[in-house]
Amino acid sequence: MHRKLPFISSVALGAVMLVAPTLSNLSSDSIYDSAFAAKGGNGNGGANGNGNGGNGNGNGNANGGAIGSGGVASTGATNKEKMSAKQLALTDPTAPAHPSMLGRWNATKPFGHPSIQAHIRNGNYNGTIGMLAAFGQAVNTMNTAQDAMAAADPAVMALAQALKTAGYSSLADYQAAALPDASVDAAIATFGGVLPSDTDITAAQALIDQNATAAADLEAAEGIMAAHSNRAPWGDIRDDVLVRMGLEDPLAPTP
C-alpha cells in the first residue's frame, strides 16, 4: 500500500531537496559528487522509471524496464487474471451467490430475527420480510415434523402408514373389518405377535398427517419465493437464503 506523507512532512522534504545542492556548494564539490555518486547516480537509466537510481536502487514503475536490486515487480497482470466474486458465483454452483443475484432477498434476516418473528406472530406474510417469514416458518415446521418422524419407531410408523393408506384409523378397525390387505398384513408381521396399541397407531398417524401438511405448506411457500424472485431464479439462490436464515434444508438428501 502506498502511503502519502503528511502535508507538513512533504513540505519539509521538498525544502531539503531544494536546499541540498546549495548546501553541497558550501563545501567541496568532490565531496558532494562522491556522496551523490555512491547513491547510484541521477536515476535516469531505468526504463519508464520515475525514481532515483539507475544502477539498481531505483524506485521505478518497471513497466517492462530493468528492475534494480531494490525494485518491486508489478502484480497488475496477476490481479487482472483473478476472477471476480460475481463471475465465480455465476459460473460455480457451489460458490455463494453474489448480492446482485439475490435481488430483494438481500433483505434476508436470520429466522430468529425480531422482524421475522413479528411477521409470524401477526400473521403478516406480505412484502419481502413477510414472504421470508412464511418461507422460514414452513422450513422450520417441515424440519420439526421430519425430526419427530425420525425419532418415532419405524415399525409403528410403517404400520400406521399402511393402515392409513388402506383407510383405517386404528388396528382395531382393520381387524374388525376382516378384509385382508397385503401391505397392512406385511407391516403387522414385522412385530412378531406383539402389536402396538391403537394409541401408538393414532399418534403415528398424527405425525404422518403433520408431515404431509408441512410439506404442502413448504411447497406453497417455495412457489411464492420463486414467483417473487426479481434477479436470479429461485433455484439458484435458495440455498443462500437458507444459509442467511440459519435454517437446514428439509429437502436435502439424507446422508
Side-chain angles (χ1 to χ4, degrees):
M1 177 181 294
H2 297 288
R3 294 184 178 178
K4 293 183 178 179
L5 293 173
F7 177 76
I8 295 177
S9 299
S10 60
V11 171
L13 180 60
V16 170
M17 292 180 68
L18 289 174
V19 172
T22 303
L23 293 177
S24 67
N25 290 334
L26 295 178
S27 60
S28 171
D29 288 340
S30 61
I31 295 176
Y32 176 80
D33 293 340
S34 298
F36 192 63
K39 295 182 179 180
N42 194 20
N44 293 322
N48 296 324
N50 294 326
N52 296 321
N55 292 325
N57 294 323
N59 295 319
N61 284 337
N63 294 327
I67 301 174
S69 60
V72 179
S74 172
T75 58
T78 302
N79 291 335
K80 289 179 181 179
E81 292 173 359
K82 291 181 179 179
M83 183 177 291
S84 70
K86 183 175 182 180
Q87 289 174 321
L88 184 63
L90 292 173
T91 56
D92 185 356
T94 64
H98 190 266
S100 64
M101 299 168 62
L102 292 174
R104 72 192 309 157
W105 309 131
N106 274 304
T108 302
K109 305 287 190 301
F111 182 63
H113 192 276
S115 63
I116 297 289
Q117 291 301 311
H119 276 71
I120 292 174
R121 286 194 305 272
N122 297 329
N124 178 9
Y125 301 115
N126 298 317
T128 298
I129 298 299
M131 287 184 283
L132 285 165
F135 173 65
Q137 184 179 36
V139 169
N140 188 61
T141 300
M142 185 69 183
N143 282 327
T144 301
Q146 288 182 335
D147 289 344
M149 288 187 69
D153 186 332
V156 175
M157 294 301 297
L159 177 55
Q161 181 63 67
L163 288 167
K164 188 173 184 62
T165 302
Y168 299 99
S169 59
S170 69
L171 186 57
D173 289 344
Y174 174 71
Q175 293 169 329
L179 297 172
D181 182 280
S183 296
V184 175
D185 290 341
I188 289 175
T190 63
F191 288 93
V194 181
L195 298 176
S197 67
D198 280 338
T199 300
D200 292 336
I201 296 297
T202 300
Q205 288 183 337
L207 287 179
I208 293 171
D209 290 340
Q210 289 172 10
N211 191 78
T213 300
D217 290 345
L218 178 57
E219 184 178 2
E222 296 263 14
I224 292 173
M225 298 296 281
H228 290 84
S229 293
N230 59 343
R231 289 293 184 271
W234 171 241
D236 292 349
I237 58 176
R238 178 180 180 275
D239 289 347
D240 297 273
V241 172
L242 284 171
V243 168
R244 289 191 176 203
M245 297 194 83
L247 295 172
E248 294 183 4
D249 184 2
L251 304 182
T254 303

